[in-house]
Structures are given as structure tokens and as C-alpha cells.
Amino acid sequence: MSAMPLPHLPPAVPRMPQELADSPAFLLGRLGALVKSRAIHEFETIGFSPYHYAVLAVLAEAARQTQAEIADTLKVDRSQLVGLLDSLEERGLVERRRDPNDRRRHTVSLTPDGKAQLGRLRAVVKRVADHLLAPLDAEGRQVPYQLLLRVACHTHTSF
Amino acid sequence: MSAMPLPHLPPAVPRMPQELADSPAFLLGRLGALVKSRAIHEFETIGFSPYHYAVLAVLAEAARQTQAEIADTLKVDRSQLVGLLDSLEERGLVERRRDPNDRRRHTVSLTPDGKAQLGRLRAVVKRVADHLLAPLDAEGRQVPYQLLLRVACHTHTSF
DNA sequence: TATTGTTATACTCTATAACTATA
DNA sequence: TATAGTTATAGAGTATAACAATA
């Protein structure tokens, strides 16, 4: 009952439904998942995760933070941060030190090796971003970032 | 030892690190996760999931597809689709019928109730999209969609 | 033997709940 | 009692593997 099958296209080529392709929300969701999985894969090949990068980035901007502060900044649970810091500390990239004023707290800081590694991880991020934005020309790349930032700031406060 | 604490801002206000806010890849990843969780929540309140909507949307565009075709189109595993179709069929929104030509196959189609429900789910999607794009003015909304689509098409083929 | 739909299993994340040591 | 960090547990989601029916 199928009228006029396409000549040389194999029937197994799955096309995204128009209704979903038309939805900015759907595109954004799928694109976000794609960039995330891509980032995870890229970091994985060198033994890291995007979270590792995020932790190092946070420490580079504000040194000597407590674990609770780091966790809140990244919006991850404190229990999740423990494992991340464990692996970073084992590699000598961060340093946990007891706060003498409140011995419950651990104050975390970046080691020189950690700062160097952060540079390498930044290269990974840049690679992912460049690949992501590849279909856009130079000037076109400025636009989505401004829009993304505006939308991100709004959703950050409204979700 | 903390020099000059800020006057009225509680110290518990977590700020996103500049380095991450500067990264389009990070923003896109987080934004995608946000819109996804928002969509899941919205659908959940009426007893559906974004997957349910996606399945109905696929069937609305090309009726009488086999389960394998639907699964491939949505890029979900065939085993995952089974449960989705089960719940949709229980509610009388889709119909599974054995293909007489190949009795292994199930040909799936939308019922009138399913088509009606699809309309209601579209309203949910629209609500999420409107909320997402709220910070952009009318003309600004056209831009990100074109860009998203371009990027999405590219990544679709290159990931 | 290969394929379709299905069911069962395992694995990864993440969210939550205890637990300790300090305060 | 409350809090910081830690550990343990449980749950959702997904990916993989086995399975029965049919080709």
C-alpha cells in the first residue's frame, strides 16, 4: 500500500519528525544531551570527567574553598563531591587541608600540577565547543552565546 | 580571617564560575538538562512523559509504522519502546496490530483519542518552549531557533 | 539462521539516608 | 543540637542480553 517508494534511499534512514525538529525545546534538550555525552567521552579518553574540570575551574577562581562551598557552586551533592576530590587528590591536583578554626571543615586548594592540568582540560573543552559551533561562521558564533547566556540566566532563576 | 564580608548578601549565594559561564558548551549542556527536567515535570503532572509525546508525534506524521521504525526514528531502544506503547495502548491512544504479511511485526497507529491527546500534549510543549524563550523578545526568538537547527543538523551527522 | 517484539538482567547516575567527628 | 565531610543504600534511567515467535 506504500505509494511510490524512494528510489535509492534505503528504508532504514530514520528522519527526525518534523514536529520535533520544529520545537526549540526539543532541539535544545537533544543538543544539550549531545554536547554532554560528547564532553564526557572526550574527557574520558584522558581519564577525567567534566565534573573534574568543573571542580578545578571553581578552585582556580576562588582558592581555598570548603567542600560545601564547592558543591553548592556546582550544584552537586556534597556526597558526590567527595569522590571527585578523592580522585583529584590521588593525582596530586588538589589538596585537602583541615581548617584549624573549624576542624570539621576541609579547605580545598589547587596544586601547581592541578593548575597545569586545568590548562589541558580547557583545551578539551575548547575542542568540544569548536566542534559544536563548527556549522556556524565566525560572526554567527557570537549570537547564540549571547542568547544562551540570557536564557540560561533567566532559567537559572526561574526553574 | 575573612576580610570585609559583604554587607547584606548571605554567604550562601552560590555564583556560577565565570569560566563555566563563558563556555557555550557548558551553557548548552546545562540548559538542555534544564529544559529536559522541566519538560519531564510538566508532562508528569498529567501522567505522561516526553517520550509519550514523541511517540504520538511520530505516529501523527507517518501512520502505521512498525515498532522498530518508531524506535529508530526516536533513537530509543526497541525494548524501551515496548513499555511506552503498553501505557499508550492501555489508555486507548494507540493501537497495535499484527502485520498480516509478516506476523512478527506489529504495526502501530494512532487512535482518534490518541490524536486528541496529542493536541493536549502539544500545548504542554508550547508552554515549556514559551517559558524557555521568555527572556527573548519576539524577533530574538527566531534567531536561536535557526542556529539551533543548524547546529543540531550538523551534530546529528557528526556525533 | 536472522529478525521482531518482548522480557530479564546489569550497570550507571543520582538522590537520599545514615554515620563520625567536630562545633 | 547542629553541621561538614563521609559512607552506605536505594531508586530511576538506560543499556545489554536472553527469549519466543516467525521468517
Side-chain angles (χ1 to χ4, degrees), chain A residues 28 148-159, chain B residues 30-31 34-35 131-133 135:
Chain A
L28 197 56
L148 276 181
L149 190 58
R150 195 131 41 105
V151 173
C153 285
H154 181 260
T155 52
H156 179 265
T157 61
S158 68
F159 273 97
Chain B
R30 170 160 294 198
L31 212 48
L34 235 36
V35 65
H131 184 271
L132 175 75
L133 298 177

Side-chain angles (χ1 to χ4, degrees), chain A residues 67-68 78-79 96 104:
Chain A
Q67 297 189 191
R78 295 162 191 205
S79 63
R96 272 192 269 225
R104 291 174 304 182

Side-chain angles (χ1 to χ4, degrees), chain A residues 59-117:
Chain A
L59 290 173
E61 290 195 6
R64 305 220 159 282
Q65 299 194 73
T66 67
Q67 297 189 191
E69 287 169 340
I70 299 170
D72 290 350
T73 301
L74 294 177
K75 299 193 207 327
V76 301
D77 195 88
R78 295 162 191 205
S79 63
Q80 197 186 344
L81 185 64
V82 175
L84 292 169
L85 290 178
D86 285 348
S87 58
L88 290 173
E89 195 171 32
E90 285 168 14
R91 305 178 212 194
L93 305 180
V94 304
E95 199 178 51
R96 272 192 269 225
R97 205 178 302 173
R98 274 208 181 284
D99 182 342
N101 300 106
D102 184 343
R103 290 183 42 77
R104 291 174 304 182
R105 290 185 159 93
H106 281 170
T107 166
V108 187
S109 59
L110 217 52
T111 67
D113 275 4
K115 187 137 183 66
Q117 183 63 46

Side-chain angles (χ1 to χ4, degrees), chain A residues 19 22-26, chain B residues 35 38-39 42-43 53 118-134 141:
Chain A
E19 172 165 351
D22 284 343
S23 161
F26 177 84
Chain B
V35 65
R38 167 90 173 176
E42 289 291 320
F43 278 111
Y53 161 70
L118 175 56
R120 287 189 280 276
L121 297 187
R122 281 180 178 137
V124 173
V125 174
K126 179 162 175 16
R127 185 147 34 112
V128 173
D130 285 348
H131 184 271
L132 175 75
L133 298 177
R141 293 185 192 199

